[in-house]
Amino acid sequence: MLIVISITIYGFSSIDSLIVIPLGWGKPNYDFTKNPLNKETVALGRKIFYDPILSRDSTISCSSCHLSYTAFTHVDHDLSHGINGKIGTRNAPALMNLAWSKSFMWDGAVNHLDMQALAPISHPAEMGNDIENIVAQLQHSASYPNLFKAAFGDTVINGARILKAIAQFELTLISANSKYDQVMRKEPGVHFSTQEENGLLIFRKSCASCHTEPLFTNQQFANNGLAMDTFLKDIGRMKITQNAQDSLCFKIPTLRNIEYSFPYMHDGRFKKLSDVLKHYTSDIQQSSTLSRQLQQPIILSSDQKVDLVAFLLTLTDKSFLYNPIFAYPQK
Amino acid sequence: MQATTVRFQPYWITQKLKLDTNIITNNTSVLEISKFRCYISNIAFKKNNVVVWQEPNSYHLIDANDTSSYSIKLNMPATLIFDQIHFNIGIDSTTNVSGAMGGDLDPTKGMYWAWNSGYINFKLEGSSPLCTTHNKRFQYHIGGFSIPFNTLQQVDLPVHHTTNINIAIQLDQMVAQIDLEHQNSIMQPGRAAVEFSKKIAGIFRIKL
C-alpha cells in the first residue's frame, strides 16, 4: 500500500528497488548498481549510524552531530564537538537527498558518499578513530557479525562493507514532501499563501541560480561574501584544490528543511534566517573570488524579506524530519 | 592457461629490503625504512607495443610488512607471446571516484586519504640523520589523481616469455633523488607529490 502511494506521489523509479526518485529530479549521481540497496543492509547502516562504537572512546555516533529531527544537522551548534570535548572547525551539514550529491563536505574534500564516513571517523576532533580499529571492534561484537551476514551473505566485516552499509542508510534519506513539493505536484488542496507565492518569485530571481530547484543547490562551490573568521582562517575549497580561484569557496548547501537546520553557513555563524538575509542584502564582503551572482547587490524591502522567509519555510518536510524509519533504531 | 608469477621485490642496492634495520647509505650515514607500500595496477603484457593480455580487476597492494604481497599470480594463456610487461604504480582516477571497494583496495589498508578523497599510490617512511624532524623521520605519502596533480605512473619493461618475472624496486634509487634534509614530508596531493611521483617509475627494473 505504501509503495503504491509513493509511486503515485513521486513517480516511478527503476534506479533501485528501495529508492523512489521524485518526479523531475533527474538521475541520481550515486551509482546504485555498485551498491544495490537491500533492507538488511539499510538496517545495518542505520544501526552503525547510531552506534558510538565508531568513535575512539565510544562516545560519539554519526547522530551526535546529525540528528534526524533537525534534518540530520547538529541543532544549535555552530561548530560540532567530537571526542574529549574537542571542537571542529565547521558546521555539521544537513543530510538529505545525498544520492544526488556530487561531492561531500563543505570543501568537497570527499568525492563519493561511500567514502564520506571515513572523514569524521578519522578526524581527531570528531571520532578520532580509524576504520581498521572499527572493523576489529565490530568483528568482536555479539550482534554485528550476524547483521553483516544478513546484509552481505557472510559474516566478513571489512572497511568497504561498513562504508557501503552506512551509505545505504544515508541514501534512503530523501526529503521530497515539503509544502513546496506538494504545491509543485499540484496536490489537491495545497496552495501557497500570497506571501509564499511572492517569496517564491523573489527566490527565483535572487537565490535560485545557486540554490537551484528542485535540490535547492546547484552543487557548486562559491564564495558567498562572508568575512573570513579570523580565528578559524578557513580558506574552504582552496585547501583541496590548491587553486587560488577557490579561496573562500564553500559548497552551496541545500535549503530544504532550512527552518530546522540552523545555525547557518559553513561555520554556523548565523543563528536566524533573518541574519542570513541581512548578510546577503547588506554585508557582502568584496573579494577577488566573490561569487559572480553576488557582484550586484541583492536589494530586498523588509516586506520582501518576510515573504522570502515565508517561502523558505515551505521547504520544511515534516514527513522526513519525523519519519520513524530514519530515527534511532528501537530494539 | 598458465600461472605466471610476477614478483615485486624492494631492494636497497643489492640487499632485499628489511624494515626497521640500519642501512648504511652511500654517504656513510645510517638510514632506516619503516614502511613501504605501493599499489601496482592494470598489469598487462604487450607485443610490439600492442596489449595482448591484461589482468582483469588488476589492483595489488605491495606491502613490505607482508612479503607474500610481493608475488602476484597471473592466470594468462600459456601460448601468449609478449615482449613487454606494463603496469601502473598507483590507482587510476576512475577507481578513485568509484566509492568503497574491498580486497587490496579496502580503506583499512592505510592507503586511502579520508580528508581529501583518494588512494595513496606510494608510501615510504623511515628515518635518517639528515632529517631535522621529530625522531628524524621522513614520510612520503604520494597520491593524487585530479589534474593537474595526477601522480599515477605507467611502467613498461622488456620481458622474455617466462613463467617468472622478477621486478626489483630500487628504493636506494628513490632515496638518492630526494633531498632528505629539506623535504622530509609529503602528505597530500599537490606539486611536490607530482614531482616525487615522476621519479618512481624509474626505480622499477627487471631483475635477471
Side-chain angles (χ1 to χ4, degrees):
Chain A
M1 186 60 191
L2 188 67
I3 293 166
V4 174
I5 291 168
S6 299
I7 289 169
T8 50
I9 291 177
Y10 295 141
F12 184 73
S13 151
S14 58
I15 300 283
D16 187 281
S17 61
L18 291 185
I19 291 285
V20 179
I21 306 298
L23 272 175
W25 278 31
K27 195 168 165 267
N29 188 56
Y30 194 87
D31 184 355
F32 285 90
T33 63
K34 293 204 173 113
N35 188 20
L37 269 48
N38 69 61
K39 270 197 295 203
E40 290 74 19
T41 314
V42 171
L44 171 63
R46 180 182 176 197
K47 182 176 163 68
I48 299 172
F49 186 91
Y50 283 95
D51 195 336
I53 199 169
L54 290 184
S55 59
R56 174 70 66 185
D57 60 2
S58 289
T59 58
I60 306 277
S61 73
C62 303
S63 74
S64 300
C65 302
H66 298 284
L67 283 79
S68 62
Y69 306 112
T70 56
F72 290 93
T73 185
H74 201 172
V75 69
D76 214 22
H77 283 70
D78 49 358
L79 306 174
S80 292
H81 48 89
I83 60 167
N84 302 324
K86 288 181 188 160
I87 309 284
T89 60
R90 291 184 183 149
N91 180 254
L95 307 182
M96 73 197 88
N97 306 331
L98 298 169
W100 284 266
S101 293
K102 292 178 174 150
S103 65
F104 303 85
M105 321 304 283
W106 280 106
D107 54 13
V110 175
N111 65 33
H112 196 288
L113 180 61
D114 293 358
M115 303 321 238
Q116 190 283 328
L118 285 176
I121 283 171
S122 63
H123 196 287
E126 297 192 40
M127 291 169 168
N129 210 344
D130 65 64
I131 187 79
E132 239 177 308
N133 191 36
I134 292 166
V135 168
Q137 278 193 285
L138 297 188
Q139 280 168 340
H140 290 107
S141 84
S143 56
Y144 276 106
N146 282 334
L147 296 173
F148 274 80
K149 186 175 182 188
F152 295 103
D154 59 56
T155 58
V156 171
I157 299 177
N158 59 31
R161 284 183 173 185
I162 293 170
L163 296 173
K164 281 186 183 297
I166 296 172
Q168 289 213 6
F169 171 61
E170 291 176 324
L171 287 164
T172 65
L173 306 177
I174 294 178
S175 175
N177 198 28
S178 63
K179 181 176 184 182
Y180 160 84
D181 296 298
Q182 293 169 2
V183 171
M184 292 299 129
R185 291 194 293 260
K186 299 188 168 55
E187 287 182 23
V190 190
H191 303 285
F192 280 142
S193 68
T194 310
Q195 257 192 350
E196 291 164 349
E197 185 74 46
N198 287 339
L200 172 64
L201 297 176
I202 296 161
F203 175 84
R204 285 184 170 161
K205 180 167 173 281
S206 300
C207 317
S209 63
C210 293
H211 296 285
T212 313
E213 299 165 70
L215 295 168
F216 289 85
T217 168
N218 65 2
Q219 311 244 26
Q220 303 295 307
F221 300 86
N223 172 353
N224 67 341
L226 293 169
M228 184 196 259
D229 182 296
T230 52
F231 179 79
L232 297 171
K233 293 193 173 63
D234 193 339
I235 56 170
R237 181 139 177 89
M238 183 180 163
K239 189 171 168 225
I240 301 303
T241 62
Q242 298 172 44
N243 183 341
Q245 290 176 356
D246 294 325
S247 173
L248 304 178
C249 290
F250 292 88
K251 168 78 70 63
I252 294 166
T254 181
L255 304 184
R256 286 179 171 274
N257 296 301
I258 195 169
E259 180 182 4
Y260 285 81
S261 62
F262 60 93
Y264 307 110
M265 304 297 158
H266 65 273
D267 53 10
R269 68 177 70 184
F270 298 139
K271 292 189 182 71
K272 297 181 191 145
L273 283 174
S274 55
D275 300 334
V276 173
L277 295 194
K278 178 172 176 291
H279 166 72
Y280 281 116
T281 51
S282 49
D283 293 338
I284 294 290
Q285 304 287 308
Q286 296 294 323
S287 68
S288 62
T289 60
L290 179 67
S291 165
R292 183 177 50 79
Q293 285 90 339
L294 297 172
Q295 305 275 345
Q296 298 301 317
I298 297 174
I299 297 163
L300 298 177
S301 69
S302 53
D303 279 355
Q304 286 176 313
K305 286 183 188 172
V306 171
D307 291 351
L308 180 53
V309 169
F311 167 70
L312 292 174
L313 299 186
T314 71
L315 301 179
T316 296
D317 175 1
K318 291 209 166 146
S319 69
F320 172 74
L321 299 170
Y322 299 112
N323 191 334
I325 67 168
F326 300 150
Y328 182 83
Q330 304 294 336
K331 290 259 156 67
Chain B
M1 300 296 269
Q2 141 190 3
T4 295
T5 300
V6 184
R7 186 176 167 81
F8 290 88
Q9 172 68 53
Y11 281 91
W12 187 271
I13 311 178
T14 54
Q15 298 293 309
K16 288 182 179 175
L17 174 69
K18 281 194 191 133
L19 291 181
D20 304 313
T21 308
N22 286 350
I23 298 168
I24 309 294
T25 62
N26 294 345
N27 43 16
T28 66
S29 74
V30 176
L31 175 134
E32 270 189 30
I33 289 173
S34 56
K35 215 175 260 183
F36 171 65
R37 291 188 198 126
C38 72
Y39 275 113
I40 300 294
S41 66
N42 196 27
I43 297 176
F45 288 90
K46 294 180 178 177
K47 174 72 182 167
N48 298 329
N49 283 320
V50 176
V51 172
V52 290
W53 183 83
Q54 56 187 31
E55 187 190 25
N57 200 23
S58 181
Y59 300 99
H60 305 277
L61 179 62
I62 306 294
D63 183 352
N65 260 322
D66 170 19
T67 54
S68 72
S69 70
Y70 292 171
S71 293
I72 299 169
K73 273 209 170 69
L74 303 171
N75 288 310
M76 48 199 268
T79 54
L80 201 68
I81 296 170
F82 52 84
D83 54 21
Q84 265 187 331
I85 182 171
H86 168 91
F87 55 89
N88 294 340
I89 306 160
I91 301 300
D92 56 273
S93 59
T94 306
T95 305
N96 265 297
V97 297
S98 296
M101 275 166 277
D104 279 1
L105 293 172
D106 197 273
T108 53
K109 303 289 181 185
M111 292 292 275
Y112 193 86
W113 275 313
W115 274 89
N116 193 345
S117 283
Y119 284 94
I120 297 168
N121 292 334
F122 184 97
K123 194 183 244 192
L124 183 66
E125 293 183 16
S127 60
S128 158
L130 293 173
C131 300
T132 50
T133 50
H134 180 55
N135 292 334
K136 305 192 179 309
R137 282 181 75 187
F138 58 83
Q139 290 174 284
Y140 305 104
H141 297 184
I142 307 303
F145 61 91
S146 301
I147 305 296
F149 300 129
N150 184 12
T151 55
L152 185 80
Q153 296 296 314
Q154 302 196 23
V155 179
D156 287 286
L157 296 171
V159 282
H160 300 293
H161 194 192
T162 168
T163 50
N164 290 307
I165 295 166
N166 291 307
I167 294 171
I169 308 173
Q170 295 294 152
L171 294 177
D172 55 298
Q173 293 298 310
M174 191 72 237
V175 172
Q177 298 177 76
I178 306 169
D179 183 354
L180 282 170
E181 199 178 337
H182 297 105
Q183 185 168 55
N184 28 52
S185 172
I186 302 174
M187 308 285 278
Q188 60 180 13
R191 199 161 289 121
V194 170
E195 287 310 311
F196 189 107
S197 74
K198 288 177 184 166
K199 297 164 183 163
I200 297 175
I203 71 169
F204 284 71
R205 296 164 187 187
I206 292 293
K207 188 90 177 169
L208 296 171

